[in-house]
Amino acid sequence: MRVLAFESSCDETSVAVLADGVLKGHITRTQTLHQAFGGVVPELASRSHLEQILLLTRQTLAETETALKQIEGVCATAGPGLVGALLIGLNFGKGIALSLGLPFLAAHHLEGHIWSAELNGKRIPTPFLALLVSGGHTQLVLVETFGRYRLLGSTRDDAVGEAYDKVGKLLGLSFPAGATIDQIAAEGNPAYHRFPQLMVGEELDFSYSGLKTAVLRQVQKLEPSEVQLHRADLLAAFQESAVALLTARLRTGIERFHPRALTIAGGVAANSLLQSAVRDIGKTYSLPTFFPDSSLCLDNAAMIAYVGEKRLAAGQRSPLDAPVRPRWSLEELREPNNSIS
Ligand code: KG4
Ligand code: ZN
């Protein structure tokens, strides 16, 4: 089944074409206008989606040599995300489905992330553990099968990507700072400072606001010249601590739930330290590890097309008055069936 998909839940506008599980192409534009504000401004994000979406749709159809009459289904992210931003992609998708008389699927953004490593042709054996790490989410999920998810732990305050961005801002880096910190930290000495190991214990939740505050305190203690001199060391120490919490939770999850594989997804899944730590855990527990292509770690419509097509192909349909769902738990999802949802 050939589907056209839209993603607009935060600050990426993205359109993709996928046929029978194989990605034909996607165009993803990260909005740069938020840099001046140090974070995503919801109203500006919605306007920018509105300005971009038609253009990106035309370009994606042209680049994938797809005629509208070849499209057999339409998918769009319905949530979770920013309400105004979601409305643009969801309504645009509904409009195309309505005008072409095609089946429509309102997709879950995090279900898309969970399966994004399969877009490079691999199959992840179930049950598996998925670590979802982005600017908006930090969740450990047990994937029992496609459509059946158990949320094992989530952040009690900041998301891990948010901590990267806030620490970056503190040290004068532009937004979003995760990829830059990843590069700079590689040249630093993580032993320069030991940030407290927060949230030790057996529970599977996460917390990042304490770590962010600890970095702030340390920066305040130093002379500005020392901060400059040791910027890479501070970032390496921060990153070590940030990743240590993620891997600790992953280990506990493996020991408790005995998954058959591991995957990570979301913007922070592109992080080099996290990827190598997860590879090591995979080796320790003899579990295969799956990583999305780096271009598909960030929000994108390819992953929405992938999960949307699976549901449409199984006969599931969403009504054209399906609402946006800014908050939407993965646990509310069900396996696809021949129903309206
Ligand atoms: O999934 P995503 O595009 O959007 C959200 O749903 O938030 O993730 C963006 C987040 C930002 O916080 C960004 O700083 C972070 O992912 N990020 C990284 C890296 N690349 C992007 N964090 C750490 N290391 C990276 N290499
Ligand atoms: Zn995301």
Side-chain angles (χ1 to χ4, degrees), residues 295-312:
S295 64
L296 298 177
C297 284
L298 292 181
D299 292 347
N300 64 83
M303 66 188 194
I304 299 306
Y306 188 75
V307 294
E309 193 237 16
K310 267 182 188 281
R311 290 184 176 277
L312 284 173

Side-chain angles (χ1 to χ4, degrees), residues 12 113 134-136 161 164-165 176-179 182 266-268 270-271 297-299:
E12 269 89 18
H113 274 306
S134 72
Y164 268 87
D165 295 335
D182 193 1
V268 185
N271 186 267
C297 284
L298 292 181
D299 292 347

Side-chain angles (χ1 to χ4, degrees), residues 162-211:
E162 198 179 344
Y164 268 87
D165 295 335
K166 287 179 176 169
V167 165
K169 192 173 177 187
L170 198 66
L171 291 171
L173 303 176
S174 63
F175 175 86
T180 317
I181 292 181
D182 193 1
Q183 278 172 6
I184 298 177
E187 276 140 43
N189 173 14
Y192 166 73
H193 183 80
R194 187 157 294 280
F195 289 111
Q197 182 62 53
L198 302 152
M199 287 200 80
V200 282
E202 284 304 294
E203 78 280 3
L204 287 166
D205 280 347
F206 304 85
S207 167
Y208 280 99
S209 79
L211 175 59

Side-chain angles (χ1 to χ4, degrees), residues 3-16:
V3 298
L4 178 64
F6 302 96
E7 156 64 39
S8 69
S9 65
C10 190
D11 59 341
E12 269 89 18
T13 318
S14 182
V15 183

